Coordinates of all heavy atoms in Angstrom, one line a residue:
M602 N 20.3 -42.4 2.7 CA 20.4 -41.0 3.2 C 20.7 -41.1 4.7 O 20.0 -41.7 5.4 CB 19.0 -40.3 2.9 CG 19.2 -38.9 2.8 SD 18.0 -38.0 1.8 CE 16.5 -38.3 2.5
S603 N 21.7 -40.3 5.1 CA 22.0 -40.3 6.5 C 21.1 -39.3 7.2 O 20.5 -38.4 6.7 CB 23.5 -39.9 6.7 OG 23.7 -38.5 6.4
S604 N 21.1 -39.3 8.5 CA 20.2 -38.5 9.3 C 20.7 -37.0 9.4 O 20.0 -36.2 9.9 CB 20.0 -39.0 10.7 OG 21.3 -39.1 11.4
Q605 N 22.0 -36.8 8.9 CA 22.6 -35.5 9.0 C 22.1 -34.6 7.8 O 22.3 -33.4 7.8 CB 24.1 -35.6 9.0 CG 24.6 -36.3 10.2 CD 24.4 -35.6 11.5 OE1 24.2 -34.4 11.5 NE2 24.3 -36.3 12.6
E606 N 21.7 -35.2 6.7 CA 21.3 -34.5 5.5 C 20.0 -33.7 5.7 O 19.1 -34.2 6.4 CB 21.2 -35.4 4.3 CG 22.5 -35.9 3.8 CD 22.3 -36.7 2.6 OE1 21.4 -36.4 1.8 OE2 23.0 -37.7 2.4
Q607 N 19.9 -32.6 5.1 CA 18.6 -31.9 5.1 C 17.7 -32.5 4.2 O 18.1 -33.1 3.1 CB 18.8 -30.4 4.7 CG 19.5 -29.5 5.7 CD 19.5 -28.1 5.2 OE1 19.5 -27.8 4.0 NE2 19.5 -27.2 6.1
Q608 N 16.4 -32.5 4.5 CA 15.4 -33.1 3.7 C 14.3 -32.1 3.3 O 13.8 -31.4 4.2 CB 14.7 -34.3 4.5 CG 13.9 -35.1 3.6 CD 13.4 -36.3 4.4 OE1 13.3 -36.3 5.6 NE2 13.0 -37.4 3.6
F609 N 14.1 -32.0 2.0 CA 13.1 -31.0 1.5 C 11.9 -31.8 0.9 O 12.1 -32.8 0.2 CB 13.8 -30.1 0.5 CG 14.9 -29.3 1.0 CD1 16.2 -29.7 0.9 CD2 14.6 -28.1 1.7 CE1 17.2 -29.0 1.4 CE2 15.7 -27.4 2.3 CZ 17.0 -27.8 2.1
T610 N 10.7 -31.2 1.0 CA 9.6 -31.8 0.4 C 8.8 -30.7 -0.4 O 8.9 -29.5 0.0 CB 8.6 -32.4 1.4 OG1 8.2 -31.4 2.4 CG2 9.3 -33.6 2.2
I611 N 8.1 -31.1 -1.3 CA 7.3 -30.2 -2.1 C 5.9 -30.1 -1.5 O 5.2 -31.1 -1.2 CB 7.2 -30.6 -3.6 CG1 8.6 -30.7 -4.2 CG2 6.2 -29.7 -4.4 CD1 8.6 -31.2 -5.6
Q612 N 5.5 -28.8 -1.2 CA 4.2 -28.6 -0.6 C 3.2 -28.3 -1.6 O 3.5 -27.7 -2.6 CB 4.3 -27.4 0.4 CG 5.3 -27.6 1.5 CD 4.9 -28.7 2.4 OE1 3.8 -28.9 2.8 NE2 5.9 -29.6 2.8
P613 N 1.9 -28.8 -1.5 CA 0.9 -28.5 -2.5 C 0.5 -27.0 -2.4 O 0.6 -26.3 -1.4 CB -0.3 -29.3 -2.0 CG 0.0 -29.6 -0.6 CD 1.5 -29.6 -0.4
H614 N 0.2 -26.5 -3.6 CA -0.2 -25.1 -3.7 C -1.7 -25.0 -3.2 O -2.5 -25.8 -3.4 CB -0.1 -24.6 -5.2 CG -0.2 -23.1 -5.3 ND1 -1.4 -22.5 -5.4 CD2 0.7 -22.2 -5.4 CE1 -1.2 -21.2 -5.5 NE2 0.1 -21.0 -5.5
P615 N -2.0 -23.9 -2.4 CA -3.3 -23.8 -1.8 C -4.4 -23.5 -2.8 O -5.6 -23.6 -2.5 CB -3.2 -22.7 -0.8 CG -2.0 -21.9 -1.3 CD -1.1 -22.8 -2.0
A616 N -4.1 -23.1 -4.1 CA -5.1 -22.7 -5.0 C -5.9 -23.9 -5.5 O -5.3 -25.0 -5.8 CB -4.5 -21.9 -6.2
K617 N -7.2 -23.8 -5.7 CA -8.0 -24.8 -6.3 C -8.3 -24.5 -7.7 O -8.5 -25.4 -8.5 CB -9.3 -24.9 -5.5 CG -9.2 -25.1 -4.0 CD -8.7 -26.5 -3.7 CE -8.7 -26.7 -2.2 NZ -7.5 -27.3 -1.7
T618 N -8.2 -23.3 -8.1 CA -8.4 -22.9 -9.5 C -7.2 -22.0 -10.0 O -6.3 -21.8 -9.2 CB -9.7 -22.0 -9.7 OG1 -9.5 -20.8 -9.0 CG2 -10.9 -22.7 -9.2
N619 N -7.2 -21.6 -11.2 CA -6.1 -20.7 -11.7 C -6.4 -19.3 -11.5 O -5.6 -18.4 -12.0 CB -5.9 -21.0 -13.2 CG -4.5 -20.8 -13.6 OD1 -3.6 -20.7 -12.8 ND2 -4.3 -20.6 -14.9
N620 N -7.4 -18.9 -10.8 CA -7.8 -17.5 -10.5 C -7.1 -17.0 -9.3 O -7.4 -17.5 -8.2 CB -9.3 -17.4 -10.4 CG -9.8 -16.0 -10.3 OD1 -9.0 -15.1 -10.2 ND2 -11.1 -15.8 -10.2
P621 N -6.2 -16.0 -9.4 CA -5.5 -15.5 -8.2 C -6.5 -14.9 -7.1 O -6.1 -14.9 -5.9 CB -4.6 -14.4 -8.7 CG -4.5 -14.6 -10.2 CD -5.7 -15.3 -10.6
A622 N -7.7 -14.5 -7.5 CA -8.6 -13.9 -6.5 C -9.1 -15.0 -5.5 O -9.5 -14.7 -4.4 CB -9.8 -13.3 -7.2
D623 N -9.0 -16.3 -5.9 CA -9.4 -17.3 -5.0 C -8.5 -17.4 -3.8 O -9.0 -17.9 -2.7 CB -9.4 -18.7 -5.8 CG -10.5 -18.8 -6.8 OD1 -11.4 -18.0 -6.7 OD2 -10.4 -19.7 -7.7
L624 N -7.3 -17.0 -3.9 CA -6.4 -17.1 -2.8 C -6.6 -16.0 -1.8 O -6.4 -16.1 -0.6 CB -4.9 -17.0 -3.2 CG -4.4 -18.1 -4.1 CD1 -3.0 -17.8 -4.6 CD2 -4.4 -19.4 -3.3
T625 N -7.2 -14.8 -2.2 CA -7.4 -13.7 -1.3 C -8.8 -13.8 -0.6 O -9.1 -13.0 0.3 CB -7.3 -12.4 -2.0 OG1 -8.4 -12.3 -3.0 CG2 -6.0 -12.2 -2.7
G626 N -9.6 -14.7 -1.1 CA -11.0 -14.7 -0.4 C -11.9 -13.7 -1.0 O -13.0 -13.5 -0.5
G627 N -11.6 -13.1 -2.2 CA -12.5 -12.2 -2.8 C -12.4 -10.8 -2.1 O -11.7 -10.6 -1.2
P628 N -13.2 -9.9 -2.7 CA -13.2 -8.5 -2.1 C -13.8 -8.5 -0.7 O -14.7 -9.3 -0.4 CB -14.1 -7.7 -3.0 CG -14.8 -8.7 -3.9 CD -14.1 -10.0 -3.8
Q629 N -13.2 -7.7 0.2 CA -13.6 -7.6 1.6 C -14.3 -6.3 1.7 O -13.7 -5.3 1.3 CB -12.5 -7.8 2.5 CG -11.8 -9.2 2.4 CD -10.6 -9.2 3.2 OE1 -10.1 -8.2 3.8 NE2 -10.0 -10.4 3.3
S630 N -15.4 -6.2 2.4 CA -16.0 -4.9 2.6 C -15.3 -4.1 3.6 O -14.7 -4.7 4.6 CB -17.5 -5.1 3.0 OG -17.5 -5.7 4.2
G631 N -15.2 -2.8 3.4 CA -14.5 -1.9 4.4 C -13.0 -1.9 4.2 O -12.3 -1.4 5.0
C632 N -12.5 -2.4 3.1 CA -11.1 -2.4 2.8 C -10.7 -1.8 1.5 O -11.4 -2.0 0.5 CB -10.5 -3.8 2.8 SG -10.8 -4.7 4.4
G633 N -9.7 -1.0 1.5 CA -9.2 -0.4 0.2 C -10.2 0.5 -0.5 O -11.0 1.2 0.1
L634 N -10.2 0.4 -1.8 CA -11.1 1.2 -2.6 C -12.5 0.7 -2.5 O -13.4 1.4 -3.0 CB -10.6 1.2 -4.1 CG -9.2 1.9 -4.3 CD1 -8.8 1.7 -5.8 CD2 -9.3 3.3 -3.9
D635 N -12.7 -0.5 -2.0 CA -14.1 -1.1 -1.9 C -14.8 -0.5 -0.7 O -15.9 -0.8 -0.5 CB -14.0 -2.6 -1.8 CG -15.3 -3.2 -1.9 OD1 -16.2 -2.8 -2.7 OD2 -15.6 -4.2 -1.1
S636 N -14.1 0.3 0.1 CA -14.6 0.7 1.4 C -15.9 1.6 1.1 O -15.8 2.6 0.4 CB -13.6 1.5 2.1 OG -14.1 2.0 3.3
Q637 N -16.9 1.3 1.8 CA -18.1 2.1 1.7 C -18.3 2.9 3.0 O -19.0 3.9 3.0 CB -19.4 1.2 1.6 CG -19.4 0.4 0.3 CD -19.4 1.3 -1.0 OE1 -20.1 2.3 -1.0 NE2 -18.6 1.0 -2.0
S638 N -17.6 2.5 4.1 CA -17.8 3.2 5.3 C -16.6 4.1 5.6 O -16.6 4.8 6.7 CB -17.9 2.2 6.5 OG -16.8 1.4 6.5
G639 N -15.6 4.1 4.8 CA -14.3 4.9 5.1 C -14.5 6.4 4.7 O -15.6 6.9 4.7
A640 N -13.4 7.0 4.3 CA -13.4 8.4 4.0 C -14.2 8.6 2.7 O -13.9 7.9 1.7 CB -12.0 8.9 3.8
R641 N -15.1 9.5 2.6 CA -15.9 9.7 1.4 C -15.4 11.1 0.9 O -15.8 12.1 1.4 CB -17.3 9.7 1.8 CG -17.8 8.4 2.3 CD -19.3 8.4 2.7 NE -19.7 7.1 3.2 CZ -20.4 6.3 2.5 NH1 -20.8 6.6 1.3 NH2 -20.7 5.1 3.1
I642 N -14.6 11.1 -0.1 CA -14.0 12.3 -0.6 C -15.0 13.3 -1.2 O -14.8 14.5 -1.2 CB -12.9 12.0 -1.7 CG1 -13.5 11.3 -2.9 CG2 -11.8 11.3 -1.1 CD1 -12.6 11.2 -4.0
F643 N -16.2 12.8 -1.7 CA -17.1 13.7 -2.2 C -18.1 14.3 -1.2 O -18.9 15.1 -1.5 CB -17.9 13.0 -3.3 CG -17.0 12.6 -4.5 CD1 -16.8 11.3 -4.7 CD2 -16.4 13.6 -5.3 CE1 -16.0 10.9 -5.8 CE2 -15.6 13.2 -6.3 CZ -15.4 11.8 -6.6
H644 N -17.9 13.9 0.0 CA -18.8 14.4 1.1 C -17.9 15.2 2.1 O -18.3 15.4 3.3 CB -19.5 13.3 1.8 CG -20.5 12.6 1.0 ND1 -20.2 11.7 0.0 CD2 -21.9 12.7 1.0 CE1 -21.3 11.3 -0.6 NE2 -22.3 11.9 0.0
A645 N -16.8 15.6 1.7 CA -15.8 16.4 2.6 C -16.4 17.8 2.9 O -17.1 18.4 2.1 CB -14.5 16.5 1.9
R646 N -16.0 18.3 4.0 CA -16.4 19.6 4.4 C -15.3 20.6 4.1 O -14.2 20.2 3.6 CB -16.6 19.6 5.9 CG -17.7 18.7 6.4 CD -18.0 18.6 7.8 NE -17.2 19.5 8.7 CZ -17.0 19.3 9.9 NH1 -17.5 18.3 10.5 NH2 -16.3 20.2 10.6
D647 N -15.6 21.9 4.3 CA -14.6 22.9 4.0 C -13.4 22.8 4.9 O -13.4 22.1 5.9 CB -15.2 24.3 4.3 CG -16.4 24.6 3.4 OD1 -16.4 24.1 2.3 OD2 -17.3 25.4 3.8
P648 N -12.2 23.4 4.5 CA -11.0 23.3 5.3 C -11.3 23.9 6.7 O -12.1 24.8 6.9 CB -10.0 24.2 4.6 CG -10.6 24.6 3.3 CD -12.1 24.2 3.3
H649 N -10.5 23.4 7.7 CA -10.6 23.8 9.1 C -9.8 25.1 9.2 O -8.7 25.2 8.9 CB -10.1 22.8 10.0 CG -10.1 23.2 11.5 ND1 -11.2 23.4 12.2 CD2 -9.0 23.5 12.3 CE1 -10.9 23.8 13.4 NE2 -9.6 23.9 13.5
I650 N -10.5 26.1 9.8 CA -9.8 27.4 10.1 C -9.8 27.6 11.6 O -10.9 27.7 12.2 CB -10.5 28.6 9.4 CG1 -10.5 28.4 7.9 CG2 -9.8 29.9 9.8 CD1 -11.2 29.4 7.1
P651 N -8.6 27.5 12.2 CA -8.6 27.6 13.7 C -9.0 28.9 14.2 O -8.9 30.0 13.5 CB -7.2 27.2 14.0 CG -6.4 27.5 12.8 CD -7.3 27.3 11.6
S652 N -9.5 29.0 15.4 CA -9.9 30.2 16.0 C -8.7 31.1 16.4 O -7.5 30.6 16.4 CB -10.7 30.0 17.3 OG -9.9 29.3 18.3
E653 N -8.9 32.3 16.7 CA -7.8 33.3 17.0 C -7.0 32.8 18.2 O -5.8 33.0 18.3 CB -8.3 34.7 17.2 CG -8.7 35.4 15.9 CD -7.6 35.6 15.0 OE1 -6.5 35.9 15.4 OE2 -7.8 35.4 13.8
D654 N -7.7 32.2 19.2 CA -7.0 31.8 20.4 C -6.0 30.7 20.1 O -4.9 30.6 20.6 CB -8.1 31.2 21.4 CG -9.0 32.3 21.9 OD1 -8.6 33.5 21.9 OD2 -10.1 32.0 22.4
I655 N -6.4 29.8 19.2 CA -5.5 28.7 18.9 C -4.4 29.2 18.0 O -3.2 28.8 18.3 CB -6.3 27.6 18.1 CG1 -7.3 26.9 19.0 CG2 -5.3 26.6 17.5 CD1 -8.2 25.9 18.3
V656 N -4.6 30.1 17.2 CA -3.6 30.7 16.3 C -2.6 31.5 17.2 O -1.3 31.4 17.0 CB -4.2 31.7 15.3 CG1 -3.1 32.4 14.5 CG2 -5.0 30.9 14.3
K657 N -3.0 32.2 18.2 CA -2.1 32.9 19.1 C -1.2 32.0 19.9 O -0.1 32.3 20.3 CB -2.9 33.8 20.0 CG -3.5 35.0 19.4 CD -4.3 35.8 20.3 CE -5.1 36.9 19.6 NZ -6.0 37.7 20.5
G658 N -1.7 30.8 20.2 CA -1.0 29.8 21.0 C 0.1 29.0 20.2 O 0.9 28.4 20.8
L659 N 0.1 29.1 18.9 CA 1.0 28.4 18.0 C 2.4 29.2 18.0 O 2.4 30.4 18.0 CB 0.5 28.3 16.6 CG -0.7 27.5 16.4 CD1 -1.2 27.6 15.0 CD2 -0.5 26.0 16.8
E660 N 3.5 28.4 18.0 CA 4.8 29.0 17.9 C 5.0 29.5 16.4 O 4.4 29.0 15.5 CB 5.9 28.1 18.3 CG 6.0 26.9 17.4 CD 7.1 25.9 17.9 OE1 7.0 25.4 19.0 OE2 8.0 25.6 17.1
Q661 N 5.9 30.5 16.3 CA 6.2 31.0 15.0 C 7.1 30.0 14.2 O 7.9 29.3 14.8 CB 7.0 32.3 15.1 CG 6.2 33.4 15.6 CD 5.0 33.8 14.6 OE1 5.3 33.8 13.4 NE2 3.8 33.9 15.1
P662 N 6.9 29.8 12.9 CA 7.7 28.9 12.2 C 9.2 29.3 12.1 O 9.4 30.5 12.2 CB 7.1 28.9 10.8 CG 6.2 30.0 10.7 CD 5.9 30.4 12.1
K663 N 10.1 28.4 12.1 CA 11.5 28.7 12.1 C 11.9 29.2 10.7 O 11.3 28.8 9.7 CB 12.3 27.4 12.4 CG 12.0 26.9 13.8 CD 13.1 26.1 14.4 CE 12.8 25.5 15.7 NZ 12.3 26.4 16.7
T664 N 12.9 30.0 10.7 CA 13.4 30.5 9.4 C 14.2 29.5 8.7 O 14.6 28.5 9.3 CB 14.3 31.8 9.6 OG1 15.4 31.4 10.3 CG2 13.5 32.9 10.3
R665 N 14.5 29.7 7.4 CA 15.3 28.8 6.7 C 16.7 28.6 7.3 O 17.2 27.5 7.3 CB 15.4 29.3 5.2 CG 16.2 28.4 4.3 CD 16.2 28.9 2.9 NE 14.9 29.0 2.3 CZ 14.3 28.1 1.6 NH1 14.9 27.0 1.3 NH2 13.1 28.3 1.1
E666 N 17.3 29.7 7.8 CA 18.6 29.6 8.4 C 18.6 28.8 9.6 O 19.5 28.0 9.9 CB 19.1 31.1 8.7 CG 19.5 31.9 7.4 CD 18.2 32.4 6.7 OE1 17.2 32.6 7.4 OE2 18.3 32.7 5.5
E667 N 17.5 29.0 10.5 CA 17.4 28.2 11.7 C 17.3 26.7 11.4 O 17.8 25.9 12.0 CB 16.2 28.7 12.5 CG 16.4 30.0 13.1 CD 15.1 30.6 13.8 OE1 14.0 30.3 13.2 OE2 15.2 31.2 14.8
L668 N 16.5 26.4 10.3 CA 16.3 25.0 10.0 C 17.6 24.4 9.4 O 18.0 23.2 9.8 CB 15.2 24.9 8.9 CG 13.8 25.2 9.4 CD1 12.8 25.2 8.2 CD2 13.4 24.2 10.5
H669 N 18.4 25.2 8.6 CA 19.7 24.7 8.1 C 20.7 24.5 9.3 O 21.4 23.5 9.3 CB 20.3 25.6 7.1 CG 19.6 25.5 5.8 ND1 19.6 24.4 5.0 CD2 18.9 26.4 5.0 CE1 18.9 24.6 3.9 NE2 18.5 25.8 3.9
A670 N 20.6 25.4 10.3 CA 21.5 25.2 11.4 C 21.2 24.0 12.2 O 22.0 23.3 12.7 CB 21.5 26.5 12.3
R671 N 19.9 23.8 12.4 CA 19.4 22.6 13.2 C 19.7 21.3 12.5 O 20.2 20.3 13.1 CB 17.9 22.7 13.4 CG 17.3 21.5 14.2 CD 17.8 21.5 15.6 NE 17.1 20.4 16.3 CZ 17.7 19.7 17.3 NH1 18.9 20.0 17.7 NH2 17.0 18.7 17.8
A672 N 19.6 21.3 11.1 CA 20.0 20.1 10.3 C 21.4 19.8 10.4 O 21.9 18.7 10.6 CB 19.5 20.3 8.9
A673 N 22.3 20.9 10.4 CA 23.7 20.7 10.5 C 24.1 20.1 11.9 O 24.9 19.3 12.0 CB 24.4 22.0 10.3
E674 N 23.4 20.6 12.9 CA 23.6 20.2 14.3 C 23.3 18.7 14.5 O 24.0 17.9 15.0 CB 22.8 21.0 15.3 CG 22.9 20.6 16.7 CD 21.9 21.4 17.6 OE1 21.6 22.5 17.2 OE2 21.5 20.9 18.6
L675 N 22.1 18.3 13.9 CA 21.7 16.9 14.0 C 22.5 16.0 13.1 O 22.8 14.8 13.5 CB 20.2 16.8 13.5 CG 19.2 17.4 14.5 CD1 17.8 17.4 13.9 CD2 19.2 16.7 15.8
N676 N 23.1 16.4 12.0 CA 23.9 15.6 11.1 C 25.4 15.6 11.5 O 26.1 14.9 10.9 CB 23.8 16.1 9.7 CG 22.4 15.8 9.1 OD1 21.8 14.8 9.5 ND2 21.9 16.7 8.3
K677 N 25.7 16.3 12.6 CA 27.1 16.4 13.0 C 27.6 15.0 13.5 O 28.8 14.6 13.3 CB 27.2 17.3 14.2 CG 28.4 18.2 14.2 CD 28.5 19.1 15.4 CE 28.4 20.6 14.9 NZ 28.6 21.5 16.0
G678 N 26.8 14.2 14.1 CA 27.2 12.9 14.6 C 27.4 11.9 13.5 O 27.9 10.8 13.8
K679 N 27.0 12.1 12.3 CA 27.1 11.1 11.2 C 28.5 11.0 10.7 O 29.3 11.7 10.5 CB 26.1 11.4 10.1 CG 24.7 11.1 10.6 CD 23.8 11.2 9.4 CE 22.4 10.7 9.8 NZ 21.5 10.7 8.7

């Protein structure tokens, strides 16, 4: 074999058993559906209703025509 050729080797698989969970290290607390400290959907509070001062400070939503015009303006460069 010349020194110019690529050389490939087979690497050993990290698993010691045939169980895929062995590769992940098992369940981790605080992650995914196993989370005990994350969002608790059954302990949720009522919806937030902003005060009148906050509502008065919000801008009015744009109409459908204004949104279509803005979309056409942004898509003009494509």
